[in-house]
Amino acid sequence: MPIRTRVAALAALTAAALAVGAAATAQAGAAPGGTAQKNASVQKNASAPKKAAAPRFLAASELPPHPTGWTAGPVTDGFPEQLAYCLGEGVPAYDYRHRLFHTELDTSAVQVTVVTGSAAKGKALADRLNKEIRTCAARLERLYPEIEAEGQYFDTLPVEEGATVHGLHTETSYGATDVNLLSVGRDGRTVTVVGWGQMGDFDDAPLAAFKKTAKKAVTKLY
């Protein structure tokens, strides 16, 4: 089903509030010592550390091409349930943000990004996520006897601190088959995971295009 988003409208500042603010500024400038106070304020603001820019997310046009095109949802706080089948139990507690993507058919995608406390913590998290993905097929078969799962490791991509690409194919006892591609990438202390999935098997997966998406997800962070 299409993901519907609601955009909250920004409340407009009233003319009265603007007038009050302008009057207060004028009075502060006219008061004795106002210039000194203004200069001190400027120096304080200049010395204050700048807030780090938030990591950027993929756009719909940067995903592997699809006949119906992609629709991107909003960037949302939290870890996406769409990746819980492989990572839900093994994800350390961080402030994750994610974006969902969908097509008009059965193909979907997701990106999740997190800023850790340091490059070392970012590396540890990326290593943990890669391990969880590598062992995902075995865990799925253990937990769900009606599922046969196969995992594949495809490549390491030379981008920033690196990105790895994995594949997962599942088939149920009643014949349903799904293929997923996943990547884990890192830029310093920031880690991003991209997941893509649809019905089918490894031959149906756009591996070359997904690798381009995985690299773009890392280079676009900052």
Side-chain angles (χ1 to χ4, degrees):
M1 296 179 62
I3 298 175
R4 299 182 179 179
T5 62
R6 297 179 179 178
V7 180
L10 294 175
L13 291 174
T14 63
L18 289 174
V20 170
T25 301
Q27 292 175 0
T35 300
Q37 292 175 359
K38 181 178 180 180
N39 290 340
S41 176
V42 170
Q43 292 176 356
K44 180 178 180 181
N45 291 336
S47 62
K50 294 182 179 180
K51 185 177 181 180
R56 294 181 298 165
F57 281 74
L58 291 167
S61 60
E62 294 164 332
L63 294 173
H66 190 276
T68 69
W70 289 92
T71 298
V75 175
T76 306
D77 291 338
F79 191 86
E81 62 180 11
Q82 286 76 8
L83 293 177
Y85 67 96
C86 262
L87 301 176
E89 296 296 326
V91 176
Y94 279 112
D95 292 329
Y96 297 93
R97 303 176 75 219
H98 70 274
R99 167 175 272 179
L100 303 179
F101 305 85
H102 73 275
T103 67
E104 294 181 10
L105 298 177
D106 65 320
T107 309
S108 61
V110 59
Q111 181 184 10
V112 59
T113 297
V114 58
V115 181
T116 67
S118 66
K121 290 182 178 180
K123 182 180 184 304
L125 176 59
D127 291 344
R128 172 74 174 272
L129 296 176
N130 277 308
K131 180 180 178 181
E132 293 293 326
I133 294 174
R134 286 195 304 270
T135 59
C136 182
R139 282 185 283 114
L140 287 176
E141 288 188 338
R142 185 172 66 252
L143 293 173
Y144 306 100
E146 72 278 10
I147 290 180
E148 291 186 4
E150 178 188 0
Q152 286 196 23
Y153 170 76
F154 285 116
D155 210 351
T156 298
L157 306 178
V159 54
E160 298 300 339
E161 276 68 57
T164 53
V165 179
H166 309 262
L168 176 70
H169 176 253
T170 59
E171 183 173 358
T172 66
S173 57
Y174 51 87
T177 63
D178 291 280
V179 60
N180 291 270
L181 297 175
L182 300 109
S183 69
V184 179
R186 182 171 71 91
D187 183 355
R189 63 179 183 149
T190 303
V191 177
T192 188
V193 178
V194 180
W196 172 98
Q198 70 174 30
M199 294 176 61
D201 55 31
F202 285 125
D203 291 336
D204 302 309
L207 182 57
F210 182 79
K211 287 181 180 180
K212 293 180 180 179
T213 295
K215 289 184 68 174
K216 186 65 175 181
V218 178
T219 60
K220 191 177 181 179
L221 288 171
Y222 299 105

